[in-house]
Amino acid sequence: MNDKNIFVETKLKNFDEAIDFISNYAFKIGFSNNKEMIKEDILSREKEMNTCLLEPFAIPHAKSESVVKSGIFILRNNQFIDWNGKKAKIMVVILSKKGENKKHIEQLSVISRKLVHEDFRNMLLNADVDEIITKLKNMEV
């Protein structure tokens, strides 16, 4: 996790912009070699189940053949956006190479368990990039 994986002031207007930002950025930083495929894989996962389980936190994720480098990145939007009927402001994005099922499940599990804690949620909502990086490194995500 580094400062290139955390955005604390995105200005996304809706779900579609968020998914476009995620897929374009994943491609730009080398997590994915195909931005259309990663977008489709994220959208496919959203069709199975809305990843905004605890408002305002969404955990869009995908296991994809287009992922060349597994990783996590975080977006904190400047306003709430409609996430398939729920309000999202923080997106914790998990992208995994197809076949890395164990690692993918472990990352989802760690993030999900942490989101139950109010202090962790408040940190994601309010902390600066350096504090977020430190907290996530200490979590062994």
Side-chain angles (χ1 to χ4, degrees), residues 11-22:
K11 296 177 179 162
L12 306 167
K13 293 180 178 73
N14 55 49
F15 175 82
D16 291 332
E17 275 190 20
I19 300 300
D20 284 340
F21 182 93
I22 291 166

Side-chain angles (χ1 to χ4, degrees), residues 68-132:
V68 293
K69 177 182 170 188
S70 297
I72 297 173
F73 59 98
I74 297 171
L75 311 174
R76 182 169 64 208
N77 207 40
N78 68 340
Q79 65 184 7
F80 291 99
I81 58 174
D82 182 289
W83 198 272
N84 297 318
K86 296 192 176 192
K87 293 179 184 176
K89 188 171 185 172
I90 305 284
M91 288 132 278
V92 180
V93 183
I94 302 171
L95 301 177
S96 302
K97 295 178 186 177
K98 195 154 189 112
E100 286 188 344
N101 294 342
K102 183 178 179 185
K103 182 177 181 178
H104 187 81
I105 297 297
E106 286 172 358
Q107 289 175 324
L108 273 171
S109 178
V110 168
I111 296 293
S112 299
R113 281 194 315 266
K114 288 293 185 182
L115 284 175
V116 227
H117 299 285
E118 186 176 1
D119 59 334
F120 183 75
R121 293 191 311 266
N122 286 334
M123 183 272 298
L124 287 178
L125 284 165
N126 301 302
D128 64 20
V129 171
D130 291 333
E131 184 179 352
I132 293 171

Side-chain angles (χ1 to χ4, degrees), residues 48-70:
E48 289 177 28
M49 185 174 87
N50 189 338
T51 61
C52 185
L53 298 174
L54 177 66
E55 293 178 318
F57 301 91
I59 311 174
H61 58 280
K63 290 179 283 186
S64 176
E65 290 177 12
S66 75
V67 172
V68 293
K69 177 182 170 188
S70 297

Side-chain angles (χ1 to χ4, degrees), residues 28-41:
K28 179 181 176 182
I29 64 171
F31 279 21
S32 171
N33 62 11
N34 185 322
K35 61 184 168 185
E36 291 306 316
M37 183 184 279
I38 194 65
K39 179 178 179 177
E40 288 305 314
D41 291 335

